[in-house]
Amino acid sequence: MALTGLDIFKLLPKTNCKKCGMPTCLAFAMALAQKRVKLDDCPDVSQEAKEKLAAAAAPPMRKVVFGSGDNQVQIGQETVMFRHEEKFYNPTVLAVTVSDKLTGDDLKKRIESVNSLQFERIGTKIGARAVAVINDSGSPDSFAQAAAAVKDAGDLALILVTQSPEAMAAALAKTKESIPLLASATPDTAEAMAQIAKENGCPLAAQAESIEALSDLTEKIEAQGVEDIVLNLVAPSLRDQLYNLSKMRALALKKVFRPLGYPTISFVTDDSADTQAASAISLICKYSGIVVLDTVEPYALLPMLTAVMNVFADPQKPVQVEPKVYPIGEPNENSPMMFTTNFSLTYYTVESDVEASRIPSYILVVDTEGTSVLTAYSGDKLNEKTVADAMTKHSVEDLVKHRKLIIPGYVAVMSGKLEEATNWEVMVGPRECSMLPKYLQEVWK
Ligand code: SF4
């Protein structure tokens, strides 16, 4: 919970010396609460006050990072219970299991199946982002070999799942440079697992069967010097799991209860692909930082990934594409030039219909702050000036030798002013872009 100006004021020297540029300590405290000044601007603040203010300013949920290089992922650092209050920051990581009972070609095929779970949706690459190697065999050697094979495939972040410190140490000996997440320490193995995590600089999941036991466990692990912790609360049912995740989130964010101020991991591994999809989507909504799955069925993964995309989209910021000229196919100087707005859904719908026409074209994307054609026009973000400016900025004159611009049918009303502003001939396209293929084939000359 953020400190109020009065809370901060109590920690200041209260001399009103003005060295910070403020007339009084109270004015400085109020400005600091609003993040308009920095604590360092007061040269006389005590070390004790600095430490108290720094502790209070720490995020209520810690950010945890694992994986390395391009495979690195981060979870946590959330600040609100509900997306509309601000936004959610770090999207749920979907991890898929690889059992260490698999060997040879079976192991290779499973790793390939997991790594291939990658898709594209409205111009964004989405997919599984971690592999969870499971110590089903109970053998440290088998676990180490399977972990090494996954690491060598090198496509995704790694999670090592075993309750045996011996197996964890064996697998880490072959994979520590991948900085895997270690899952999980229990009350019985906390000391040994924390030691392994600390020595190898890896985050550690803490596993317990009640919120109370879990908070005791995280305190114990933190006391051993491991700061990056992930909460693994085992529950008898999905209903209990969702209740516990919501309760832990509220305790961390609303009450700033530090022992629970960490992201979470959930396992959905013992049902059909259909049931895993339904359970995982519930856990993405409430509030699992990582969801571990057994299924490698693309049809089950896609709705989960769509849920992640939607839940973690910034509600105050429409999904946008970069404003610029996009060539579709291999257009030349005689190809059609048309414009649309930078609202992702609008752009990708237009793009797909232009592709369907099989007529190579240019699409000029005008920056309308991520709004659709009609919304942008109504809000005066799309007018003859913004289009003309975009044409100049992106040098459309250099791309085609004709001077014809196709505009969306919904803004036919701007034709006259646009012709005056650009000296280009305006051609009014169809109102619905699904008619673009027919329009381009019949009208474009
Ligand atoms: Fe108060 Fe520090 Fe500012 Fe002086 S420099 S007025 S002590 S806040």
Side-chain angles (χ1 to χ4, degrees), residues 12-20 22 24-25 28 42-43:
L12 295 177
K14 302 187 197 71
T15 57
N16 298 333
C17 71
K18 302 186 177 61
K19 288 182 207 164
C20 59
M22 291 282 174
T24 62
C25 291
F28 180 79
C42 170

Side-chain angles (χ1 to χ4, degrees), residues 226-381:
V226 177
E227 293 185 326
D228 291 331
I229 299 171
V230 176
L231 306 176
N232 177 8
L233 183 59
V234 179
S237 67
L238 177 62
R239 185 171 179 271
D240 290 321
Q241 178 80 335
L242 295 172
Y243 175 80
N244 287 336
L245 286 168
S246 301
K247 192 171 173 187
M248 290 197 300
R249 172 102 156 192
L251 285 166
L253 301 189
K254 301 276 187 195
K255 303 290 183 192
V256 197
F257 184 58
R258 297 286 179 197
L260 295 175
Y262 303 100
T264 56
I265 184 169
S266 303
F267 289 80
V268 185
T269 55
D270 51 2
D271 289 311
S272 69
D274 299 22
T275 314
Q276 285 184 42
S279 300
I281 288 169
S282 302
L283 292 163
I284 289 161
C285 295
K286 300 267 174 202
Y287 290 104
S288 204
I290 303 169
V291 177
V292 181
L293 309 149
D294 263 345
T295 181
V296 288
E297 292 287 353
Y299 84 85
L301 259 287
L302 261 174
M304 300 179 211
L305 294 165
T306 304
V308 172
M309 245 186 137
N310 289 332
V311 169
F312 286 84
D314 185 343
Q316 296 170 44
K317 197 173 161 198
V319 187
Q320 303 179 23
V321 295
E322 184 188 352
K324 63 178 187 177
V325 178
Y326 290 79
I328 310 299
E330 293 181 5
N332 58 36
E333 60 189 12
N334 298 312
S335 297
M337 173 70 72
M338 64 196 81
F339 80 77
T340 189
T341 72
N342 71 327
F343 179 42
S344 276
L345 284 180
T346 300
Y347 170 75
Y348 284 107
T349 310
V350 173
E351 183 201 71
S352 125
D353 287 320
V354 173
E355 273 176 359
S357 76
R358 297 182 183 279
I359 295 180
S361 305
Y362 290 106
I363 303 176
L364 167 66
V365 170
V366 180
D367 185 358
T368 57
E369 297 170 22
T371 52
S372 64
V373 170
L374 272 181
T375 308
Y377 182 72
S378 315
D380 206 25
K381 291 181 179 130

Side-chain angles (χ1 to χ4, degrees), residues 189-202:
T189 62
E191 210 166 302
M193 287 289 199
Q195 185 66 25
I196 293 168
K198 195 176 168 193
E199 281 171 7
N200 292 280
C202 295

Side-chain angles (χ1 to χ4, degrees), residues 83-324:
R83 195 177 69 129
H84 63 262
E85 294 173 328
E86 189 178 314
K87 68 173 186 175
F88 294 163
Y89 284 89
N90 286 305
T92 303
V93 170
L94 295 185
V96 183
T97 59
V98 170
S99 170
D100 73 347
K101 281 187 173 172
L102 297 174
T103 55
D105 281 351
D106 292 339
L107 178 60
K108 200 172 156 208
K109 273 186 203 155
R110 175 72 183 188
I111 295 170
E112 283 169 4
S113 299
V114 175
N115 287 345
S116 69
L117 292 168
Q118 304 298 320
F119 313 89
E120 187 166 327
R121 184 171 180 271
I122 52 169
T124 303
K125 291 191 184 336
I126 54 176
R129 293 198 289 149
V131 186
V133 183
I134 313 286
N135 185 209
D136 289 324
S137 70
S139 152
D141 285 348
S142 300
F143 190 49
Q145 279 169 22
V150 169
K151 188 206 90 174
D152 291 344
D155 284 3
L156 302 170
L158 183 59
I159 303 173
L160 299 176
V161 184
T162 180
Q163 292 191 359
S164 155
E166 189 191 348
M168 191 67 87
L172 256 181
K174 292 181 185 283
T175 61
K176 65 181 173 190
E177 61 272 30
S178 300
I179 314 175
L181 167 63
L182 314 185
S184 300
T186 63
D188 291 338
T189 62
E191 210 166 302
M193 287 289 199
Q195 185 66 25
I196 293 168
K198 195 176 168 193
E199 281 171 7
N200 292 280
C202 295
L204 177 62
Q207 178 183 324
E209 295 185 0
S210 71
I211 291 177
E212 294 72 20
L214 192 55
S215 56
D216 289 348
L217 184 55
T218 61
E219 284 185 313
K220 193 172 170 184
I221 290 170
E222 204 200 4
Q224 283 194 248
V226 177
E227 293 185 326
D228 291 331
I229 299 171
V230 176
L231 306 176
N232 177 8
L233 183 59
V234 179
S237 67
L238 177 62
R239 185 171 179 271
D240 290 321
Q241 178 80 335
L242 295 172
Y243 175 80
N244 287 336
L245 286 168
S246 301
K247 192 171 173 187
M248 290 197 300
R249 172 102 156 192
L251 285 166
L253 301 189
K254 301 276 187 195
K255 303 290 183 192
V256 197
F257 184 58
R258 297 286 179 197
L260 295 175
Y262 303 100
T264 56
I265 184 169
S266 303
F267 289 80
V268 185
T269 55
D270 51 2
D271 289 311
S272 69
D274 299 22
T275 314
Q276 285 184 42
S279 300
I281 288 169
S282 302
L283 292 163
I284 289 161
C285 295
K286 300 267 174 202
Y287 290 104
S288 204
I290 303 169
V291 177
V292 181
L293 309 149
D294 263 345
T295 181
V296 288
E297 292 287 353
Y299 84 85
L301 259 287
L302 261 174
M304 300 179 211
L305 294 165
T306 304
V308 172
M309 245 186 137
N310 289 332
V311 169
F312 286 84
D314 185 343
Q316 296 170 44
K317 197 173 161 198
V319 187
Q320 303 179 23
V321 295
E322 184 188 352
K324 63 178 187 177

